[in-house]
Amino acid sequence: YIKQRQKHKLTFIQLDVDDFYGSIGEELLNDAIDWAKKYVDITEDERKIILQSKKSILYHNQHPWTKKGEGKVDVTMGSNDGAETCDLVGLYLLSQLQDLGLDIGLYRDDGLALSKFSRRKNEQIKKKICEIFERNGLNITITANLKVVDFLDVTLDLNLGTYRPFLKPNDKPQYVHKDSNHPPGVKKNIAEAINERLSTISSNEDLFNEAAPIYQNALKESGYDYKLKFNPPDENTSNKKRQRTRNCIWFNPPYSMN
């Protein structure tokens, strides 16, 4: 939505929350729930359930082991509960940043803001952001006045007004092999999904073609003969009609070609 003539005036502020999951304590989680109650109904019983689910206990030789320290809240990574808790706290933090005049967002522990202010003003805003996170018991790594950033799996470039796929150094994509014991529908859609994602995060065909070889090679090693080709999002139109959901319970047994 940024007009081309405005991009040279804008800069990025990028931040990363240090040990986000592990740093979410009971006080911060309760504060986030109190904030969320302004917008949705959360009963005290539901609050107790949320807090109770954060208590992790490990049994070894019939003896319980608990987390070190005084905190009883343990937000686990890799679980739906942990991800939703992280999102809730993230929204609570964003509510405290909304008066800084930035277009800012958080995805888990990664944050990115777009600023129209001067370099000096950005440094002042940077200090305010640090203060807000510290007030909530969180430490962050933050950099201001950037023109090019690698955010999640995209490189955003304000100098050129482009965006392109980003892959961390030494990362190598790997996909389910074509002959593996997985449902045919899953394997059939892998290559098309990769092509669609790369097209979506490439601002033009040249950048797509520049990023495609490593993914093309990974598909080849997994037995696929699919040729990656730039397909802009506006061409990814679907004519599928919305299907009415039925009141059915489905049981899907684990798939096996046997």
Side-chain angles (χ1 to χ4, degrees), residues 21-22 53-54 56 74-83 85:
Y21 284 77
S53 66
K54 305 298 183 290
S56 299
D74 185 14
V75 180
T76 56
M77 297 181 67
S79 66
N80 289 335
D81 174 71
T85 300

Side-chain angles (χ1 to χ4, degrees), residues 12 25 56 64 84 89 110 114 116 157 159 194 197:
F12 289 118
S56 299
E84 291 186 1
V89 174
D110 294 308
L114 193 64
K116 60 184 177 181
D157 191 328
N159 292 322
I194 295 167
R197 184 180 70 86

Side-chain angles (χ1 to χ4, degrees), residues 156-187:
L156 305 169
D157 191 328
L158 286 173
N159 292 322
L160 301 176
T162 60
Y163 51 91
R164 61 184 184 275
F166 167 69
L167 197 63
K168 291 182 179 180
N170 302 321
D171 270 9
K172 182 181 179 181
Q174 291 182 312
Y175 305 112
V176 171
H177 197 276
K178 184 179 180 181
D179 297 327
S180 65
N181 191 2
H182 283 74
V186 172
K187 294 184 288 186

Side-chain angles (χ1 to χ4, degrees), residues 24-48 50-51 85 88-93 95-96 136:
I24 298 176
E26 186 171 356
E27 182 179 356
L28 177 56
L29 182 54
N30 271 313
D31 289 343
I33 294 174
D34 289 338
W35 169 80
K37 287 181 66 176
K38 300 177 183 178
Y39 307 96
V40 294
D41 293 328
I42 301 176
T43 66
E44 286 306 307
D45 284 341
E46 289 171 334
R47 182 198 294 268
K48 291 178 181 178
I50 293 172
L51 295 174
T85 300
L88 171 62
V89 174
L91 289 170
Y92 171 58
L93 294 169
S95 72
Q96 301 174 54
N136 288 278

Side-chain angles (χ1 to χ4, degrees), residues 7-8 10 17 53 55-56 63 91 96 111-112 126 131 142 145 162 182 190 198 202 222 228 239 253:
K7 290 180 181 178
H8 70 280
L10 303 174
V17 185
S53 66
K55 296 180 180 180
S56 299
H63 294 286
L91 289 170
Q96 301 174 54
L112 188 65
K126 172 182 166 182
E131 292 173 357
I142 185 169
N145 296 311
T162 60
H182 283 74
I190 286 177
L198 292 177
S202 299
S222 297
L228 294 175
N239 294 322

